[in-house]
Amino acid sequence: MVDVSLGVVSNMAEQFASVSVPLQFQLGLDNLTPETALQGGTLREAVNMDFYPTGSQRTRPGLRQVESGRFDSLFHPSHDRFLLVAKDNTLVKFDGTSFVTLATDINGSALAFAEIDEDVYWVDGAKRGCVTALGMPALWGLPVPPSIQASPVSSGGLTAGTYRLAMTARVAGVESGAAEPTVVQVSEGGGIAITVPTGADFSVYRTPPNGVASDLCWAADISSGGSVVIGSGILGKPLQSLYAVPPPSGTAIASYRGRLFVSFGDTLWFTSAYSRHWVFQATDYFRLNANITMLGASENGLYVGTAYEILFLDGTDPAAMTIRQVSPVGSVSLSVEVAVDSFSDEGMSPARQCAWIDADGFLCVGKGSGVVTRPHRNRYCMGSLQGISLAEIRRAGLRQIIVGIDSQENSTFIQTDSVLLPNQVFGYGATFD
């Protein structure tokens, strides 16, 4: 992909005027039917036009350059407060006026996003992070601190016995997982001396005398580099993150039923029900027969794409999900979540759904229960493409899916956006040298 400029819609007087065109094209674009057999109300090509559900259209008001550079991986959060985009391998926020850097040294062409409760989580294959609903960078997952270095002391008031202790790190409200518990033998009336590392605050958990790992409960909070003697006292909340690790820095990501699903290679990991910052490596994963290229959520399941097929994880609880093939054609793009009432079927209630581009060049919509549709399969095909990114945009009363294509041919970047309606597609193409 070569350097391109990012533009936004402009209504400035010096730009092209936006005018209504009194024509109707209810059937949308058709590049599969021979030109001599095109039906009335069909278009072969529409450049720089916006279309509405009635089939009427307006010319676009034009663009103005707001920033130059290489741009990849656009994401439009549901709250509409800003856009997220990769600019020259930095993650930036654009609020319509200015760009603010949120993360550096990222792989911009590999960024993937997922949104939960208006917070946006991202991965690029090597790093991960979070952008809050207010547009601020935030932690997603913490490294697991080492096992506690502890020793028995003569005072503390503990009952004689064997004690197990574990430690978590805490930064900005995020708590880490905990490593293998440390075992300490304490004499009657004694205590346990602990010194924690620097770099974070820590919470220490201990068991009752002769307890097991599942009995670990909060005993003390210790500031960075501090020391404490753990003695008798009321224990607090149970430790829920024993053996949890931070989520992987994967290549695809989706949010579903309050959890984050992240793929890395042929493995799909999912976060704990207790925290989006924890993954339990022994249990919280699915393993497929090929590397995962796409993840997308629907109302009651998760679509998982590889280069060869689309699978559906059916169910609401990852521990009870079943897997089945729903399409023999793989995905060449990440997915994008689309509005619940787009591509609606008569008599069906609006429900969560996602979309992607398959290896045959068709837009696919993943509905509930693993139903995959190709709304435009008889009329419009994008052809054999690679390096595709999708983003949903809401502008001027329209919902649009932007399809960015990384084309090596002639060293150009081709970007196409389409107005997608239940049974029709309208679009335009623009090539930037």
Side-chain angles (χ1 to χ4, degrees):
M1 188 182 297
V2 298
D3 288 349
V4 299
S5 297
L6 181 68
V8 298
V9 172
S10 171
N11 290 316
M12 299 174 63
E14 66 268 25
Q15 303 297 330
F16 296 109
S18 179
V19 297
S20 296
V21 181
L23 298 173
Q24 300 289 316
F25 297 101
Q26 292 90 342
L27 298 181
L29 294 179
D30 186 341
N31 66 356
L32 298 179
T33 303
E35 292 185 3
T36 55
L38 286 175
Q39 300 181 56
T42 300
L43 281 170
R44 176 66 83 193
E45 182 179 10
V47 179
N48 289 331
M49 303 291 291
D50 280 329
F51 285 82
Y52 295 86
T54 60
S56 63
Q57 64 284 322
R58 290 175 65 89
T59 56
R60 291 203 171 96
L63 303 174
R64 60 182 172 88
Q65 180 175 313
V66 295
E67 189 81 0
S68 62
R70 169 177 169 156
F71 290 86
D72 299 279
S73 306
L74 180 69
F75 184 77
H76 189 193
S78 63
H79 50 66
D80 289 333
R81 299 187 188 102
F82 50 79
L83 296 175
L84 296 175
V85 66
K87 176 184 180 294
D88 299 327
N89 290 326
T90 63
L91 175 62
V92 298
K93 173 185 67 175
F94 180 61
D95 60 7
T97 303
S98 59
F99 290 87
V100 177
T101 298
L102 303 178
T104 58
D105 297 324
I106 63 170
N107 184 356
S109 61
L111 266 182
F113 300 91
E115 182 179 353
I116 298 183
D117 297 334
E118 297 190 343
D119 292 336
V120 178
Y121 296 82
W122 59 266
V123 293
D124 72 347
K127 293 184 176 182
R128 66 180 180 275
C130 175
V131 180
T132 69
L134 299 179
M136 301 298 295
L139 289 172
W140 180 26
L142 283 175
V144 178
S147 296
I148 288 181
Q149 299 299 308
S151 58
V153 294
S154 58
S155 61
L158 290 174
T159 302
T162 299
Y163 289 82
R164 286 174 167 79
L165 299 103
M167 177 174 66
T168 63
R170 293 182 292 105
V171 177
V174 176
E175 186 173 21
S176 74
E180 182 71 27
T182 297
V183 180
V184 178
Q185 185 69 40
V186 178
S187 300
E188 185 67 28
I192 305 168
I194 296 171
T195 299
V196 299
T198 58
D201 294 333
F202 298 87
S203 292
V204 174
Y205 296 79
R206 75 162 174 86
T207 65
N210 305 315
V212 296
S214 59
D215 298 325
L216 284 162
C217 291
W218 175 89
D221 288 335
I222 309 175
S223 298
S224 174
S227 300
V228 72
V229 172
I230 301 296
S232 61
I234 299 175
L235 297 177
K237 67 182 179 92
L239 174 62
Q240 296 174 315
S241 62
L242 183 62
Y243 305 126
V245 299
S249 303
T251 53
I253 183 172
S255 65
Y256 178 65
R257 300 283 176 167
R259 300 178 191 248
L260 290 163
F261 288 72
V262 183
S263 68
F264 191 85
D266 64 353
T267 305
L268 177 60
W269 303 94
F270 54 89
T271 58
S272 166
Y274 297 112
S275 173
R276 297 166 195 160
H277 303 277
W278 305 339
V279 168
F280 292 94
Q281 289 182 304
T283 57
D284 293 356
Y285 69 93
F286 297 91
R287 185 152 289 151
L288 278 61
N289 295 323
N291 287 344
I292 297 168
T293 59
M294 182 276 292
L295 296 175
S298 70
E299 187 69 22
N300 51 11
L302 196 71
Y303 290 91
V304 183
T306 72
Y308 313 105
E309 61 182 348
I310 304 297
L311 304 172
F312 187 68
L313 297 180
D314 196 346
T316 59
D317 180 3
M321 280 178 159
T322 59
I323 306 178
R324 70 179 189 276
Q325 185 192 74
V326 291
S327 173
V329 183
S331 169
V332 295
S333 76
L334 296 172
S335 74
V336 61
E337 188 156 341
V338 295
V340 297
D341 57 345
S342 296
F343 310 102
S344 56
D345 298 319
E346 186 174 352
M348 299 297 292
S349 299
R352 190 178 184 189
Q353 54 190 339
C354 60
W356 64 91
I357 306 298
D358 70 16
D360 288 342
F362 290 100
L363 176 79
C364 296
V365 179
K367 296 178 173 294
S369 303
V371 175
V372 178
T373 65
R374 288 171 159 182
H376 320 299
R377 68 181 182 276
N378 296 323
R379 294 194 311 274
Y380 192 82
C381 178
M382 297 184 188
S384 179
L385 304 171
Q386 297 293 329
I388 301 175
S389 62
L390 302 183
E392 187 197 36
I393 298 294
R394 297 169 293 281
R395 177 180 63 84
L398 294 174
R399 293 193 298 263
Q400 299 175 310
I401 292 180
I402 306 298
V403 183
I405 305 168
D406 186 357
S407 173
Q408 300 302 319
E409 183 179 357
N410 299 325
S411 298
T412 60
F413 175 73
I414 304 170
Q415 181 170 305
T416 300
D417 76 345
S418 299
V419 185
L420 300 172
L421 303 170
N423 295 302
Q424 53 195 338
V425 57
F426 299 105
Y428 83 102
T431 301
F432 300 87
D433 293 328

